[in-house]
Amino acid sequence: MQMMTRDILLDMEMEEDDDEDGDIALENLDQMNASSFGTLGNQHDFQSPEFEEFNGKPDSLFFNDGQRRIDFVLVYEDESRKENSKKGSNEKQRRKRQAYESNLIHDGLQLEATRSVLDDRLVFVKVHAPWEVLCTYAEIMHIKLPLKPSDLKTRTSAFGNFNWFTKVLQVDESIIKPEQEFFTAPFEKNRMNDFYIHDQDTFFNPATRSRIVYFILSRIKYQVRDNVKKFGINKLVNSGIYKAAFPLHDCNFSHPSADSSCPNERYLLYREWAHPRSIYKKQPLDLIRKYYGEKIGIYFAWLGYYTQMLLLAAIVGVACFLYGFFNRNNCTWSKEVCDPNIGGKIIMCPQCNICPFWELNITCESSQKLCIFDSFGTLVFAVFMGLWVTLFLEFWKRRQAELEYEWDTVELQQEEQPRPEYEARCTHMVINEITQEEERVPFTAWGKCIRVVLCTSAVLFWILLIIASVIGIIVYRVSVFFTLSKELRPSENGTDPIQKYLTPHLATSITASVINFVIIMILNIIYEKVAIMITDFELPRTQTDYENSLTMKMFLFQFVNYYSSCFYIAFFKGKFVGHPGDLVYWLGKYRNEECDPGGCLLELTTQLTIIMGGKAIWNNIQEVLLPWVKNLFGRYCTVSGSEKIAPRWEQDYHLQLMGRLGLFYEYLEMIIQFGFVTLFVASFPLAPLLALVNNILEIRVDAWKMTTQYRRMVPEKAQDIGAWQPIMQGIAILAVVTNAMIIAFTSDMIPRLVYYWSFSVPPYGTHAHHTMEGYINNSLSIFNVADFQNRSLENPYSRRGNYTTCRYRDFRNPPGHPQEYKHNIYYWHVIAAKLAFIIVMEHIIYSVKFFISYAIPDVSKSTQSKIKREKYLTQKLLHENHLKDMTKNMGVLAESIIGVVDNNMRPKLE
């Protein structure tokens, strides 16, 4: 299957091994490539690229002859001009590179080297794939290519009656012309005449050419050591033999190319997609896919669709917020808290062992804010979001199926090639269950089980580690709060400026947040490397399998990392504190954390606001400033005031590299946001609005970053968004539970409803009709300060005032009751109502979700029909062409036979 006639491989038995990737045993090599091998001694076998001077055309995308297109660029530093480096090491690197480039030439690629204009130590090796190489590898890679123009109708807009409005949002088709649709089929060299080949130079577009060349670069060998071969451009870049490897942008983003043959796609993308003035327009997805590949295209298609769906959620969320805001003054229980004759006379128990008693009405402002978020509108919005997320996921599946058809990725899983790292370790022979033929696999079934167990154990260990760090932060908070409460006691005159501004609450929160942030960042950095190592050890077969496996590992860790604090505030903080007579202590002396006086729901709302708002602002600033500053600094250091004209490949080299996990972090950022929008939306109905504003900016920031600040990425195929789809489905299922539990256990909605319907009227209440009056007095229990029972400590309340009783948030019997300080009947009614609410809400939403999922098929009928019709027409076309070829060949054969017979019969007749 390879085109090379001979491999040039360095035999370096004494050389140190730089890493594991790209190794291949000799006994397995012959299964991949039938070649003979040279050694280090065969110096005359090396073929090197010819050096050419820069021709002064900065926009040129071709070799100096102006005919051969540059499909890829390799960059290295000339060893002879390196400063302060070891001679022996340089020689080894040079020989490896020479062997690699020689094998590229043997494989059919054409190379041309040009020294840098701005830095004479750098050499740029330009790679061109000739027609024969492209055809050979297009067949190996099962690349789908055009057969004939499509006669199927394109997808029509659902808003056809509003063309006058939607036309403003559409991309100007006079600038970005729609792509012509074709029937496609996997390329076969022996059926080349069946394909729509009008021009060999344009039949393979630049993205496809780059994919094919990268496929070759990733599999070419360059060294043998200890019966093991080294291969692949990634290994060479990681080891420093090459400094970079990338495809070229087609022009400058700020102005079109001077070359009339250049399509200027980068310029068009910047003008109609990445520029701020296009922020209101739809994305040119077909051009994005054509220029960057399906993998980038499907990301922006998903992000755009998610943002569109957020518009509806944001409108409903704002409506629910406004409902709570305008009704906050009608909140009876908040009025009681603020009333000096009610809340002003209720004395609350101290919140720590050395804290003072306090009056309930100091929480007046907090209670008014809580009325906005803890209202009936929040309940409606939580139910709505449970259905919204289902509609979003189902309609996205349909949209994704349309893109699969339009972008020819319907049968991608069957076309995708194994990763070279997987092929390199295929040493075990097994029988294929389908073909019943022998094939090579990297490990046995038992070996695979061992790998899965080890990898799963490693992931669980790191998840437990982050949970342990969260618990450590909680212990730190309660212990430091206790210590600071003793050290920062108010002075007698209260004039100490430190004590005035540095309260125990503030000092504990700031230091705990800083420590938590540092721990999260350290664990993120370490776990990223560990997750890659674990996934490499698993050895997934294809690149899609590799990315899905890595995604699941990274997300599980990030899920715990990002959401642990919110889950703690929502479901654990203040829930297990006991009561003033029998408090719960950590390690025997640290009192468990209670919620703020305003309640845990308001604290959760504050936490979400800070996290979502701060994270969005920080990420967008970082994504804009960091690559821009790096590029600016790099250009300054390289050019050093020079005004020389640099070629396209050198301009691209000084851009930033979008790393191996670049797109992963873009997805992760949005999925984490998706979790905040759905998991905790019952406490913050404005979350979809913040997400909508952020995403509108995120799309353009990502577009600007990719078109102006980053090198062009190697185009990759992708059928869907991969493992992120099941992750979102899991979040959607979990969101129903979390929102139901937030309403039931974190907010006070259920206790208020129980009081209104049962305990405000006889037999439990004294009011003649259902009312919320008296709720505050009914929801606070009484404690006798003389009943402090912790024998290890003195009574902390005895010196805090002349109060004999105080109130606390719980439903317990008062002192003097036969079952004093035990939970009262109100408590059990509330618990029963909470459990009933959770069960009813979950069942209703899950039932509707199931019905919606069943009623909305993943693939629309029109898309199914198009897929079937294209498959039918493609098969018919290939079959008809095959019959024509057979008929033509049979006619030629018949004429030849007749001619032979005539020639044989004519002498006899004469």
Side-chain angles (χ1 to χ4, degrees):
M1 293 170 63
Q2 298 274 8
M3 291 183 60
M4 72 170 68
T5 59
R6 175 169 45 180
D7 273 345
I8 307 300
L9 298 172
L10 301 184
D11 188 5
M12 298 181 179
E13 298 295 337
M14 302 304 293
E15 183 179 349
E16 66 276 5
D17 192 11
D18 37 2
D19 59 53
E20 293 294 330
D21 293 339
D23 298 351
I24 174 169
L26 282 175
E27 62 185 19
N28 185 38
L29 179 66
D30 293 333
Q31 300 297 324
M32 294 175 57
N33 183 19
S35 305
S36 58
F37 311 105
T39 63
L40 182 61
N42 299 327
Q43 292 292 323
H44 59 275
D45 286 330
F46 283 132
Q47 296 188 42
S48 301
E50 294 185 1
F51 272 80
E52 297 286 348
E53 293 295 329
F54 172 48
N55 59 11
K57 298 178 180 179
D59 293 331
S60 177
L61 302 175
F62 296 87
F63 283 14
N64 275 12
D65 59 16
Q67 300 297 321
R68 292 172 292 174
R69 184 182 182 88
I70 301 172
D71 299 318
F72 226 87
V73 175
L74 310 179
V75 188
Y76 69 89
E77 189 173 359
D78 192 345
E79 290 81 4
S80 63
R81 305 193 183 190
K82 282 186 177 180
E83 300 177 357
N84 301 325
S85 56
K86 297 180 180 179
K87 184 177 180 180
S89 175
N90 289 342
E91 182 64 17
K92 289 176 182 178
Q93 289 192 347
R94 183 182 66 81
R95 296 164 95 177
K96 288 181 182 179
R97 190 184 65 254
Q98 286 180 341
Y100 182 73
E101 291 176 359
S102 181
N103 287 334
L104 290 177
I105 295 173
H106 277 289
D107 206 60
L109 297 179
Q110 298 174 4
L111 309 183
E112 181 181 90
T114 301
R115 195 169 293 278
S116 170
V117 174
L118 305 177
D119 184 356
D120 60 1
R121 293 173 299 177
L122 295 179
V123 177
F124 294 85
V125 180
K126 295 163 282 185
V127 183
H128 169 75
W131 171 257
E132 186 64 27
V133 173
L134 293 172
C135 292
T136 299
Y137 280 93
E139 183 172 3
I140 292 173
M141 297 169 66
H142 306 290
I143 294 177
K144 285 187 172 183
L145 292 169
L147 285 172
K148 61 175 293 187
S150 173
D151 59 357
L152 299 178
K153 293 182 179 180
T154 57
R155 185 170 59 92
T156 57
S157 172
F159 304 96
N161 295 328
F162 299 93
N163 284 338
W164 58 271
F165 174 73
T166 58
K167 187 176 181 180
V168 179
L169 306 178
Q170 300 291 341
V171 176
D172 190 348
E173 293 187 356
S174 64
I175 298 175
I176 299 181
K177 296 179 173 55
E179 294 292 324
Q180 185 177 3
E181 298 293 332
F182 289 93
F183 293 127
T184 61
F187 186 78
E188 296 180 32
K189 288 182 68 175
N190 59 357
R191 289 187 165 183
M192 192 176 297
N193 294 331
D194 295 339
F195 288 88
Y196 193 75
I197 306 176
H198 276 192
D199 185 353
Q200 290 185 358
D201 293 334
T202 59
F203 181 64
F204 295 96
N205 63 39
T208 304
R209 297 176 69 99
S210 298
R211 277 183 59 210
I212 292 174
V213 172
Y214 182 73
F215 181 88
I216 301 172
L217 294 175
S218 300
R219 287 160 172 79
I220 293 295
K221 278 73 67 178
Y222 60 89
Q223 178 195 356
V224 58
R225 179 182 182 273
D226 296 335
N227 203 37
V228 171
K229 286 199 173 181
K230 311 285 185 183
F231 68 93
I233 187 61
N234 291 331
K235 184 178 178 68
L236 291 169
V237 172
N238 292 336
S239 59
I241 296 174
Y242 285 101
K243 296 180 73 68
F246 53 90
L248 288 179
H249 282 297
D250 67 351
C251 67
N252 193 297
F253 70 87
S254 59
H255 57 80
S257 172
D259 187 351
S260 59
S261 63
C262 178
N264 295 310
E265 291 174 349
R266 185 190 187 194
Y267 167 73
L268 293 177
L269 284 172
Y270 175 74
R271 176 180 171 180
E272 297 297 320
W273 179 45
H275 198 280
R277 69 186 176 196
S278 300
I279 194 170
Y280 63 91
K281 291 186 178 182
K282 290 187 177 181
Q283 302 180 85
L285 293 176
D286 289 333
L287 185 59
I288 297 170
R289 169 251 181 169
K290 179 183 178 183
Y291 191 75
Y292 288 111
E294 286 77 7
K295 188 175 181 180
I296 299 292
I298 198 73
Y299 163 72
F300 281 105
W302 171 80
L303 182 56
Y305 198 82
Y306 171 46
T307 304
Q308 291 178 21
M309 291 294 291
L310 276 174
L311 179 61
L312 176 61
I315 292 173
V316 178
V318 170
C320 293
F321 172 81
L322 293 177
Y323 171 83
F325 180 79
F326 289 117
N327 284 278
R328 70 189 189 282
N329 295 326
N330 299 326
C331 192
T332 304
W333 60 272
S334 178
K335 291 180 180 179
E336 292 185 349
V337 170
C338 299
D339 191 341
N341 297 321
I342 302 177
K345 293 183 179 180
I346 295 178
I347 306 301
M348 302 297 293
C349 296
Q351 289 192 305
C352 69
N353 291 342
I354 57 175
C355 296
F357 292 94
W358 53 283
E359 297 174 352
L360 181 62
N361 65 349
I362 68 172
T363 65
C364 175
E365 186 177 352
S366 297
S367 67
Q368 290 176 342
K369 294 178 181 177
L370 191 60
C371 286
I372 299 175
F373 298 101
D374 193 4
S375 65
F376 179 73
T378 303
L379 171 61
V380 173
F381 189 56
V383 174
F384 167 80
M385 287 301 294
L387 304 179
W388 172 88
V389 70
T390 304
L391 290 172
F392 163 62
L393 292 176
E394 293 303 319
F395 282 120
W396 165 246
K397 289 179 184 177
R398 291 168 64 91
R399 176 62 178 141
Q400 188 171 256
E402 292 174 357
L403 292 175
E404 288 178 19
Y405 165 73
E406 293 172 6
W407 293 354
D408 290 324
T409 59
V410 175
E411 299 176 349
L412 180 63
Q413 296 297 331
Q414 301 174 14
E415 304 168 13
E416 194 168 9
Q417 296 294 309
R419 297 166 59 239
E421 294 83 1
Y422 178 90
E423 292 175 332
R425 289 170 172 79
C426 290
T427 57
H428 298 277
M429 299 297 298
V430 297
I431 302 298
N432 189 300
E433 295 180 356
I434 299 174
T435 63
Q436 294 299 308
E437 296 178 357
E438 287 188 342
E439 66 178 11
R440 289 181 178 269
V441 294
F443 33 70
T444 61
W446 177 245
K448 185 175 182 179
C449 291
I450 293 176
R451 287 172 180 260
V452 170
V453 170
L454 291 176
C455 294
T456 304
S457 301
V459 173
L460 290 177
F461 169 78
W462 279 91
I463 291 176
L464 292 175
L465 187 63
I466 190 65
I467 293 175
S469 70
V470 173
I471 296 175
I473 293 296
I474 296 172
V475 174
Y476 170 84
R477 288 173 64 94
V478 296
S479 59
V480 170
F481 179 74
F482 175 78
T483 303
L484 292 179
S485 297
K486 293 174 63 177
E487 298 295 332
L488 299 177
R489 292 186 180 185
S491 59
E492 293 183 1
N493 55 13
T495 59
D496 191 335
I498 296 179
Q499 296 177 2
K500 182 178 180 181
Y501 295 105
L502 188 63
T503 64
H505 271 293
L506 180 62
T508 302
S509 298
I510 292 175
T511 56
S513 299
V514 171
I515 293 173
N516 190 33
F517 174 77
V518 172
I519 291 175
I520 286 175
M521 296 308 297
I522 292 174
L523 291 178
N524 269 342
I525 294 172
I526 298 174
Y527 183 74
E528 177 183 319
K529 301 182 183 300
V530 172
I532 293 175
M533 290 173 58
I534 294 172
T535 310
D536 289 340
F537 178 72
E538 275 185 2
L539 204 62
R541 181 177 181 274
T542 65
Q543 185 65 24
T544 299
D545 295 338
Y546 181 92
E547 292 174 358
N548 289 346
S549 178
L550 181 62
T551 296
M552 292 301 297
K553 294 179 183 63
M554 291 290 288
F555 179 77
L556 286 174
F557 177 80
Q558 300 288 0
F559 181 89
V560 179
N561 213 3
Y562 279 100
Y563 298 135
S564 55
S565 60
C566 292
F567 274 99
Y568 167 69
I569 294 173
F571 305 123
F572 297 100
K573 187 175 182 181
K575 303 297 188 296
F576 309 102
V577 296
H579 62 88
D582 187 19
L583 296 170
V584 177
Y585 289 86
W586 287 74
L587 305 176
K589 65 175 183 178
Y590 299 123
R591 181 171 170 176
N592 204 355
E593 260 194 310
E594 292 189 34
C595 293
D596 288 344
C600 279
L601 183 67
L602 192 60
E603 189 174 350
L604 178 60
T605 303
T606 305
Q607 178 89 348
L608 286 172
T609 306
I610 293 173
I611 291 178
M612 287 196 64
K615 185 172 178 293
I617 294 172
W618 170 252
N619 284 340
N620 282 300
I621 292 176
Q622 187 181 35
E623 289 182 5
V624 171
L625 289 183
L626 194 59
W628 181 76
V629 170
K630 284 183 177 180
N631 287 332
L632 187 65
F633 182 75
R635 286 194 298 268
Y636 176 79
C637 294
T638 303
V639 177
S640 301
S642 173
E643 298 298 332
K644 295 180 179 179
I645 299 176
R648 166 56 41 208
W649 50 86
E650 193 154 357
Q651 295 177 42
D652 285 4
Y653 170 71
H654 292 296
L655 297 177
Q656 294 300 304
L657 170 67
M658 190 163 187
R660 189 177 186 181
L661 297 178
L663 196 60
F664 166 81
Y665 283 115
E666 300 294 342
Y667 271 116
L668 179 64
E669 179 185 350
M670 291 296 101
I671 296 298
I672 293 296
Q673 180 207 88
F674 178 78
F676 283 125
V677 167
T678 55
L679 290 173
F680 308 102
V681 75
S683 65
F684 189 40
L686 292 180
L689 178 63
L690 289 181
L692 175 65
V693 174
N694 173 75
N695 287 8
I696 293 174
L697 296 176
E698 180 74 20
I699 291 174
R700 305 304 164 175
V701 167
D702 287 347
W704 174 84
K705 183 173 61 177
M706 288 186 181
T707 54
T708 67
Q709 303 301 309
Y710 282 100
R711 298 173 192 160
R712 188 175 182 177
M713 290 147 285
V714 179
E716 295 182 57
K717 283 278 188 178
Q719 188 175 23
D720 48 38
I721 61 174
W724 299 112
Q725 183 77 27
I727 286 174
M728 287 194 296
Q729 291 174 338
I731 291 176
I733 294 173
L734 181 61
V736 178
V737 180
T738 56
N739 284 301
M741 293 183 68
I742 286 173
I743 293 173
F745 292 107
T746 308
S747 77
D748 287 334
M749 184 175 297
I750 302 301
R752 291 199 301 269
L753 290 175
V754 171
Y755 176 81
Y756 181 85
W757 291 107
S758 298
F759 284 79
S760 62
V761 295
Y764 302 109
T766 58
H767 296 280
H769 54 84
H770 299 288
T771 181
M772 285 300 298
E773 294 179 4
Y775 168 73
I776 292 299
N777 185 64
N778 193 270
S779 63
L780 298 175
S781 299
I782 303 174
F783 174 70
N784 188 341
V785 296
D787 292 339
F788 188 82
Q789 297 175 354
N790 192 328
R791 291 188 292 272
S792 63
L793 297 171
E794 62 176 331
N795 191 332
Y797 303 146
S798 60
R799 293 176 296 179
R800 291 292 166 194
N802 297 322
Y803 301 109
T804 57
T805 62
C806 60
R807 309 294 290 271
Y808 60 97
R809 291 169 60 91
D810 207 343
F811 305 110
R812 295 180 182 271
N813 292 313
H817 192 277
Q819 294 184 336
E820 64 177 2
Y821 302 131
K822 301 293 182 182
H823 287 120
N824 56 25
I825 189 66
Y826 189 10
Y827 171 83
W828 298 111
H829 275 71
V830 169
I831 289 295
K834 288 180 176 181
L835 295 177
F837 171 80
I838 292 174
I839 294 172
V840 171
M841 180 177 174
E842 285 182 359
H843 280 65
I844 290 176
I845 295 180
Y846 281 141
S847 299
V848 177
K849 283 168 69 73
F850 174 79
F851 174 77
I852 292 174
S853 301
Y854 178 79
I856 302 176
D858 293 347
V859 184
S860 65
K861 289 185 177 180
S862 61
T863 303
Q864 287 179 341
S865 300
K866 289 179 181 179
I867 293 173
K868 292 178 180 178
R869 174 158 175 77
E870 178 170 350
K871 191 172 183 179
Y872 164 74
L873 292 176
T874 301
Q875 292 176 346
K876 181 181 178 182
L877 178 64
L878 292 175
H879 180 66
E880 288 177 351
N881 289 340
H882 184 60
L883 287 178
K884 290 178 182 178
D885 292 341
M886 287 183 62
T887 304
K888 183 178 179 181
N889 292 334
M890 289 180 66
V892 173
L893 181 62
E895 291 178 0
S896 300
I897 294 174
I898 293 172
V900 171
V901 172
D902 287 344
N903 292 334
N904 292 335
M905 294 293 292
R906 189 170 299 156
K908 295 180 180 180
L909 293 174
E910 292 176 354

